[in-house]
Amino acid sequence: MVMSGSGNLKVLQLCRFMHKKTVGEMNYGFHLAHHMALGLLFLGGGRYSLSTSNASIAALLCAFYPHFPVHSTDNRYHLQALRHLYVLAAEPRLLVPVDVDTNIPCYVLMEVTYKATVWYEETTEELMAPNLLPELHLLKQIKVEVPRYWETAIDLSKIGRA
């Protein structure tokens, strides 16, 4: 769940390794857990990630209930349809900058400033876009300042205020 939507190659390799390691003793529950992990890794084709809102956490808890079935018709512990509730926790987070002249996606170095919280001070990080952003309520500002493109800053601390 931590790497959801990232499509991280190392995590994919780890999933494939675990799948090959358990081939002999794999029942339906192992198969289901493995494919759910792969689905989360490439959530929305790499465009989505999981939210941390209370409703999203409740949906994830229902979807990833700890008892996995032994076979496909095993509904003793958990109704199989609830496995799809993870979709309610998915939210779009991909930021793709586009060149105005060519209308083609481009790589841009951007500064992302996180709001100060109880756990950390206000922090600025440089990221290469296209990129999956953290949750927007955690961000203060997104700034693009490269010589090739016009300087742009989005102040997220003012969004949502009347």
Side-chain angles (χ1 to χ4, degrees):
M1 282 193 227
V2 173
M3 299 296 286
S4 66
S6 69
N8 187 294
L9 183 60
K10 294 286 185 190
V11 178
L12 176 63
Q13 289 172 342
L14 180 65
C15 285
R16 291 185 68 202
F17 172 76
M18 294 302 290
H19 182 70
K20 289 177 183 177
K21 187 174 183 176
T22 57
V23 167
E25 63 214 36
M26 185 178 276
N27 64 18
Y28 184 74
F30 284 128
H31 183 73
L32 183 63
H34 175 260
H35 288 281
M36 286 178 81
L38 284 176
L40 280 178
L41 185 62
F42 295 100
L43 191 62
R47 293 185 211 103
Y48 285 68
S49 191
L50 297 176
S51 173
T52 59
S53 69
N54 289 339
S56 298
I57 292 171
L60 289 172
L61 189 63
C62 290
F64 300 113
Y65 191 73
H67 290 284
F68 281 96
V70 176
H71 49 81
S72 60
T73 59
D74 183 7
N75 291 320
R76 288 180 294 166
Y77 302 114
H78 194 60
L79 183 62
Q80 295 299 314
L82 296 180
R83 298 268 181 231
H84 300 284
L85 288 179
Y86 74 92
V87 173
L88 298 175
E91 65 180 13
R93 294 236 198 104
L94 182 66
L95 177 66
V96 180
V98 177
D99 190 316
V100 178
D101 296 328
T102 62
N103 205 24
I104 296 175
C106 59
Y107 290 105
V108 172
L109 191 63
M110 61 183 186
E111 285 184 3
V112 176
T113 305
Y114 294 88
K115 292 179 185 174
T117 66
V118 178
W119 300 283
Y120 55 86
E121 299 174 358
E122 186 176 299
T123 309
T124 301
E125 181 181 26
E126 285 190 347
L127 300 173
M128 182 63 76
N131 192 342
L132 278 179
L133 291 175
E135 292 187 81
L136 293 181
H137 70 87
L138 299 174
L139 300 180
K140 180 179 178 182
Q141 184 180 39
I142 301 172
K143 187 177 185 180
V144 175
E145 190 174 352
V146 291
R148 184 174 177 173
Y149 298 106
W150 195 358
E151 181 179 325
T152 307
I154 302 169
D155 191 358
L156 297 169
S157 62
K158 295 179 183 177
I159 294 177
R161 293 184 187 171

